[in-house]
Amino acid sequence: MSKKSNKVLTARRKREWGSGLLFVSPSVIAMACMVAYPLVLVLIYSFCKVSLPKFDLKYLGFENFRKVLTSSQLPVVLKNTLLWTFVSLLIRFILGFASALIMQVDFKGKTLFRIITLIPWTMPSIVAANLWRWIYNPDTGILNFLVKQINPAAATNWLGNSSTALMAVIISYSWMGFPYLMLMIVAGMQGIPREYTEAARIDGANAVQVFFRITLPQLKGFLLILTLLEIISGFNSFDLIFTMTGGGPGVATETVGLNIYRMAFQNYDFGKASGMGVLLLIMVMIGFGLYSVRQRRLERRWQG
Amino acid sequence: MKRNWKKWVSAAAVIGTLCAGMAFSASAEDKEVSVWLGSWWEGEVEWMTQKFAEDNPGYTLNIELQPIANYQDNATSAILGGSGPDVLALDTLFLPAMMDQGLLQPLDDFAAENGFTEDLFVDTVYDAGRTDEALYALPYRFTCTSLYYNKTMFDEAGVEYPTDDITIDGLCELAAQLTKDGKYGFGIAASKNDMANVMTSFVPFLWGEGGDFVNEDITAGAMSTPESIEGIKKWVGLYLDGSVPEGCINYAITADLFPLAMSGEIAMIPMGDSNIVKIDEFAQENGFEWGVCLHPGLVRAAGWSFTIPSSIEDRDGAETFIKWFLQPEILSMNNTVLPAVKEAQDMGKWGDELYDIYKKQADQCKNAPQTPAWTQIQLIVTEELQNALSGSVTCEEAAAIMDERINEVLG
Amino acid sequence: MTMNKKKRTLILVLVYVLCILISIFALAPFVWGISTSLKNNTEVYSLTPTLIPKKVTLANYIAVFHDSSMMHYFRNSLIVSLLSTAVSMVVALLAAYGFSRYRFPGRSAMLTSVLFIRILPRVCLLVPFYMILAKLKLINSIPGLVLVYLVVGMPLTVWLLKGYIDGIPIEVEESAFVDGCGPVQSLIYVVMPMVAPALAAVAMFVFILAWNEFMFPLLFAKDQACRTLSVGLAFYIDETGIQWGQMMAASILMSLPAILVFSYAQKYIVSGLSEGAVKG
């Protein structure tokens, strides 16, 4: 990249920053309408006791936050949420990458494979959740039926056993979500200029080296955004767990997202639900902040 | 830039026309009354709409069916957003919290003016819609569970059928006797995604032993009383003894126990009036005979009531509908739900002897504690019961934790 | 560039094995669903589940086709999804281009706040969204849903497209500028073709988001006129249990269009792959 042309371009761009604003205006306006208001409300509610139906507010200071942070269930819920988020992300990445890499190879049946891997994603979650719940059913479910043919002792109560319940739900979630990751990875791979991989090949690198030295680093930025977004949605999601186990047995599959839902729509405690939402926001922002700081430090180191 | 502007203008025009189109389609001469009912009312919509228009000139009925999934959040969001229906049907379980949050309008004057007195209705469902301050709901549906049993399985095991005076201990005994050869004697529901079902399954044992969730003035938990612990032990005991399927810890009655019973895998389950019509189809296909008797202990009185959301300013339409539909002649015309108006219970198809058992069971019924904290209590009890079922705590420990947590909520 | 024949076979074997494993995982529940939809009520709950029904019945599928309201919901879902995809793609592409190629006051603030939409729990958005839509008179309307999906999808659509555009070297547009292209023309004729894979991926994401979403249409578009498929499917679950046969039949029929749309759109993503494929 020639620095001179860069400067010319950026100079022109600096002058025309008005056009920049125009480009982003539709999305920013939509956001301002739809998001600013809820964001402000959530912030306000988290410090108040909210009385329905008129949403009367009574200032409570940090009471909501205190109640959330001192809840005896918090450690378990956090642990479940972290496992839920990261393990399913890992599984989805593995499956997604494997599928994406397979697509790079020319083989018979590639089109069929393309279509098959998309199917889990096209199923509405309400159907998928009930279907998986039924598959896991210890008495009438197909999974135990198959397992019993091989090893009767291994057939367990997948969703009713606190040691297997979380993993069982994670697998269902991964099934539903891996096509999306696969798609994103394929799209990302498309952006890698082919000259890089070709050049490496000519230099004698084998497929594995190409993957780890060229493909992966090029995808890094892309993947990082994806990961961040997926982590966030992992913290918020609840409808799959709700349908399959309701958070049980006990609190074995209770996550933060489910807890917030319960608080708002079953206990009608919008104040506490907002408090949890704000805590989540803070957590994510801290994580994001730490990451940016680390990035900048690394960059500075590179520049010597 | 010019191209951009054109794009936005045309987009805005499209959106604007769509909005305008929506507005125009909503004009009517008659007064429209919107009513939310559960999706299982589908077969009734046509005659109700017709007859309502006939009997009430100047009004049209618009029944909006809602799925049971997320019914309560759906209703809550609509009311809070300011556009709820004129009449909202609610399960008795949804009532305490919604009444407490001011989401419903009082119906005392309306009920008095139209002669809707307490004695017209099944008392338990009526009570569920009342607080000390006011009456917020008028029941139209009563439902409870009785004990269904598979006669063929009993015959094969050489055991005598249960009768109306069976006790909780008797039930546990029969359950053990009928559990053999991979089949089970009974089923319980303990799934956290349907806590209402869990309560339906559990309370006969709790109340049957004389225990309860909270004390009389609802100021403290009462799960650690000897009676309550006895009830917990008997219910949990069924699971630990293996008299109920292993999956019960995550089962709901209609979603899981009912299909198992229909396939002849469970000999007895609690069965509600809405499922009893389906049994014959399955019994014939799977070749068995069945019967019902009174469920031991006290079963949970459940039902649905009509309410008027607080977001409604003009109550006229709502009152017209409720007044009309609660008439015994009209209410009994429905083929879907057992009426809560006593007179209607003997009319139409509801006079059939198939439903006699539920009318009898109405005398052996009890309401869950009338407190806005009920949803939280339900959650606490379900969670700790699940812990007891999985063996991570004993029944006594579970009871103690329940009381601790309930006191925290009530205190 | 020749490759050792043995190596090539090894890779092919590995690929096929992985392929089959992943396919089984992806397909199994779906196949089970189809099998269920072909069974009648009593066979569905049999304790010895069978993959191939003893008595195959098309009754469930016929019932779905005859259900005119299902067809109506299907039409609504299609309209909402296609419209959301189109609107989101346009808005997000414009925004991504603006954020990527320009610097203006408030840029980083705006960019970060796009993320907030995703961080805020859905639950906290439900009631405020309802109130805003009510004020804009967009409750129970398709444009209302489109707006919701546009906003909910923005963290992904805008950020992803921006990241992608960031990776496109600026020289490419430079030559266009030299030729006298304005930014819009540059966007449409130069950048867009290069962004095609990400654009297609983003389009699919929004399509599926709109297609599968349950809570938002349940709350904001429950009117019969604009009800979507996902809400319609929930009606198969009522207090007498789950009508598996019909629900599975309906949901499979309804997955087909999405699968078709995707197979088509995927071509845009993998179009260039054949050139980079392993040669042998």
Side-chain angles (χ1 to χ4, degrees), chain A residues 23-247:
Chain A
F23 272 116
V24 303
S25 55
S27 55
V28 171
I29 292 176
M31 242 178 39
C33 285
M34 302 285 287
V35 181
Y37 182 48
L39 189 59
V40 167
L41 274 186
V42 166
L43 282 171
I44 296 179
Y45 289 170
S46 61
F47 288 103
C48 302
K49 176 172 157 70
V50 184
S51 302
L52 302 176
K54 298 280 187 248
F55 287 101
D56 301 318
L57 304 173
K58 190 174 100 170
Y59 183 67
L60 279 184
F62 286 96
E63 184 63 19
N64 285 326
F65 296 106
R66 192 193 64 83
K67 269 198 232 156
V68 170
L69 291 171
T70 55
S71 147
S72 55
Q73 294 189 332
L74 191 67
V76 179
V77 171
L78 272 182
K79 175 188 126 220
N80 289 342
T81 313
L82 289 172
L83 277 174
W84 160 260
T85 308
F86 288 102
V87 174
S88 73
L89 197 56
L90 187 65
I91 298 178
R92 276 180 285 155
F93 257 117
I94 294 175
L95 288 173
F97 253 118
S99 309
L101 289 173
I102 291 178
M103 307 261 228
Q104 309 272 39
V105 178
D106 225 350
F107 65 96
K108 262 198 256 181
K110 183 163 141 189
T111 331
L112 190 62
F113 182 69
R114 259 176 28 201
I115 298 177
I116 289 179
T117 46
L118 280 179
I119 287 178
W121 202 29
T122 61
M123 204 176 246
S125 66
I126 195 175
V127 178
N130 277 301
L131 185 61
W132 272 101
R133 182 170 184 271
W134 190 26
I135 291 178
Y136 281 131
N137 187 316
D139 301 291
T140 56
I142 188 97
L143 181 63
N144 265 0
F145 180 68
L146 292 173
V147 169
K148 278 187 197 151
Q149 315 279 351
I150 308 173
N151 177 9
T156 176
N157 189 353
W158 305 102
L159 292 178
N161 195 333
S162 24
S163 42
T164 55
L166 190 59
M167 201 56 211
V169 192
I170 288 177
I171 291 181
S172 311
Y173 191 46
S174 308
W175 178 84
M176 271 174 52
F178 91 85
Y180 154 72
L181 266 183
M182 170 193 77
L183 222 59
M184 294 295 155
I185 293 174
V186 167
M189 277 177 158
Q190 264 304 81
I192 300 172
R194 238 154 281 118
E195 300 84 59
Y196 292 12
T197 41
E198 300 254 333
R201 281 287 165 70
I202 292 176
D203 284 345
N206 67 22
V208 177
Q209 285 166 322
V210 169
F211 179 70
F212 280 104
R213 297 270 175 86
I214 309 274
T215 320
L216 217 45
Q218 287 284 321
L219 280 180
K220 211 164 74 141
F222 196 74
L223 288 183
L224 233 44
I225 299 172
L226 217 56
T227 309
L228 180 66
L229 290 173
E230 283 307 296
I231 290 177
I232 296 175
S233 78
F235 274 100
N236 281 330
S237 68
F238 68 88
D239 42 348
L240 188 71
I241 303 182
F242 185 72
T243 309
M244 289 180 75
T245 60

Side-chain angles (χ1 to χ4, degrees), chain A residues 137 139 243 250 254 261 268, chain B residues 73 76 192-193 246 251 386:
Chain A
N137 187 316
D139 301 291
T243 309
E254 187 87 19
Y261 170 74
Y268 286 119
Chain B
D73 346 328
T76 307
K192 206 167 153 190
N193 74 352
E246 197 197 337
Y251 277 177
Q386 281 190 327

Side-chain angles (χ1 to χ4, degrees), chain C residues 97-271:
Chain C
Y97 187 69
F99 279 121
S100 170
R101 298 298 195 220
Y102 290 86
R103 301 284 176 274
F104 45 84
R107 176 178 167 274
S108 9
M110 284 185 213
L111 208 48
T112 331
S113 49
V114 170
L115 260 189
F116 279 0
I117 306 165
R118 191 67 170 217
I119 306 177
L120 275 181
R122 273 273 165 103
V123 170
C124 296
L125 292 174
L126 290 178
V127 179
F129 268 15
Y130 199 102
M131 293 192 194
I132 297 171
L133 286 179
K135 285 215 181 84
L136 293 173
K137 300 269 194 287
L138 288 177
I139 289 277
N140 281 331
S141 72
I142 289 183
L145 277 184
V146 172
L147 180 58
V148 170
Y149 296 145
L150 168 67
V151 171
V152 167
M154 273 212 284
L156 186 92
T157 54
V158 171
W159 271 74
L160 220 60
L161 281 176
K162 171 184 170 297
Y164 213 78
I165 297 182
D166 279 344
I168 294 177
I170 212 157
E171 276 87 10
V172 179
E173 292 182 73
E174 213 185 64
S175 34
F177 274 121
V178 168
D179 286 343
C181 264
V184 178
Q185 284 146 318
S186 158
L187 173 63
I188 298 179
Y189 295 112
V190 179
V191 178
M192 204 156 83
M194 299 191 72
V195 177
L199 211 53
V202 154
M204 278 196 239
F205 166 73
V206 178
F207 185 85
I208 271 291
L209 172 72
W211 187 258
N212 280 350
E213 185 60 44
F214 176 69
M215 283 233 86
F216 287 133
L218 176 71
L219 264 45
F220 307 144
K222 54 174 68 81
D223 225 23
Q224 264 279 54
C226 50
R227 184 174 294 158
T228 60
L229 203 50
S230 40
V231 176
L233 283 173
F235 279 77
Y236 286 124
I237 301 172
D238 61 24
E239 49 155 42
T240 53
I242 302 177
Q243 292 156 51
W244 278 111
Q246 293 205 0
M247 184 166 87
M248 290 299 352
S251 116
I252 282 161
L253 281 177
M254 305 320 170
S255 305
L256 291 177
I259 297 176
L260 283 170
V261 166
F262 282 11
S263 315
Y264 179 69
Q266 242 197 337
K267 284 212 193 105
Y268 282 97
I269 297 186
V270 301
S271 56

Side-chain angles (χ1 to χ4, degrees), chain B residues 61-253:
Chain B
L61 184 60
N62 177 21
I63 297 182
E64 298 173 7
L65 298 176
Q66 308 294 326
I68 190 64
N70 303 85
Y71 191 96
Q72 197 178 356
D73 346 328
N74 195 354
T76 307
S77 308
I79 300 175
L80 291 176
S83 66
D86 289 299
V87 178
L88 174 64
L90 288 175
D91 187 318
T92 42
L93 286 175
F94 303 148
L95 289 174
M98 291 182 83
M99 291 191 295
D100 180 64
Q101 295 289 330
L103 296 170
L104 309 172
Q105 297 192 30
L107 299 176
D108 304 81
D109 297 332
F110 168 68
E113 278 165 32
N114 291 282
F116 287 123
T117 50
E118 188 173 342
D119 53 319
L120 290 181
F121 304 97
V122 173
D123 52 348
T124 40
V125 200
Y126 184 82
D127 281 336
R130 259 208 307 209
T131 63
D132 293 331
E133 282 111 49
L135 173 74
Y136 290 97
L138 284 171
Y140 65 89
R141 173 187 185 183
F142 165 68
T143 175
C144 63
T145 53
S146 295
L147 189 64
Y148 150 93
Y149 59 91
N150 184 325
K151 284 189 180 167
T152 315
M153 282 175 81
F154 271 82
D155 289 337
E156 281 171 15
V159 180
E160 291 221 1
Y161 304 150
T163 54
D164 279 351
D165 45 1
I166 189 174
T167 59
I168 291 285
D169 289 325
L171 177 60
C172 296
E173 239 179 77
L174 283 182
Q177 285 179 322
L178 267 285
T179 302
K180 50 164 130 191
D181 304 327
K183 312 217 173 187
Y184 297 95
F186 190 57
I188 61 172
S191 172
K192 206 167 153 190
N193 74 352
D194 196 340
M195 295 189 274
N197 261 207
V198 181
M199 294 298 111
T200 304
S201 170
F202 173 63
V203 294
F205 292 78
L206 177 71
W207 289 334
E209 293 298 316
D212 205 348
F213 297 99
V214 291
N215 59 9
E216 280 239 22
D217 39 342
I218 314 190
T219 49
M223 293 301 274
S224 311
T225 60
E227 295 86 13
S228 297
I229 294 187
E230 206 40 48
I232 299 177
K233 275 194 173 151
K234 298 217 167 130
W235 189 77
V236 173
L238 284 169
Y239 186 77
L240 296 176
D241 289 340
S243 313
V244 299
E246 197 197 337
C248 283
I249 193 172
N250 199 36
Y251 277 177
I253 298 181

Side-chain angles (χ1 to χ4, degrees), chain C residues 23-118:
Chain C
S23 299
I24 293 180
F25 182 58
L27 220 45
F30 190 68
V31 165
W32 178 236
I34 296 183
S35 162
T36 307
S37 63
L38 293 172
K39 295 181 183 162
N40 64 20
N41 265 342
T42 41
E43 209 192 320
V44 167
Y45 292 113
S46 151
L47 259 195
T48 42
T50 51
L51 199 57
I52 301 170
K54 289 187 207 132
K55 272 195 275 178
V56 174
T57 166
L58 288 176
N60 295 318
Y61 285 94
I62 297 175
V64 172
F65 272 117
H66 277 169
D67 189 352
S68 55
S69 39
M70 265 296 151
M71 290 294 129
H72 182 68
Y73 302 155
F74 177 60
R75 205 200 89 219
N76 285 340
S77 270
L78 207 57
I79 296 178
V80 171
S81 303
L82 289 174
L83 209 57
S84 304
T85 309
V87 170
S88 291
M89 267 169 51
V90 168
V91 173
L93 186 59
L94 290 172
Y97 187 69
F99 279 121
S100 170
R101 298 298 195 220
Y102 290 86
R103 301 284 176 274
F104 45 84
R107 176 178 167 274
S108 9
M110 284 185 213
L111 208 48
T112 331
S113 49
V114 170
L115 260 189
F116 279 0
I117 306 165
R118 191 67 170 217

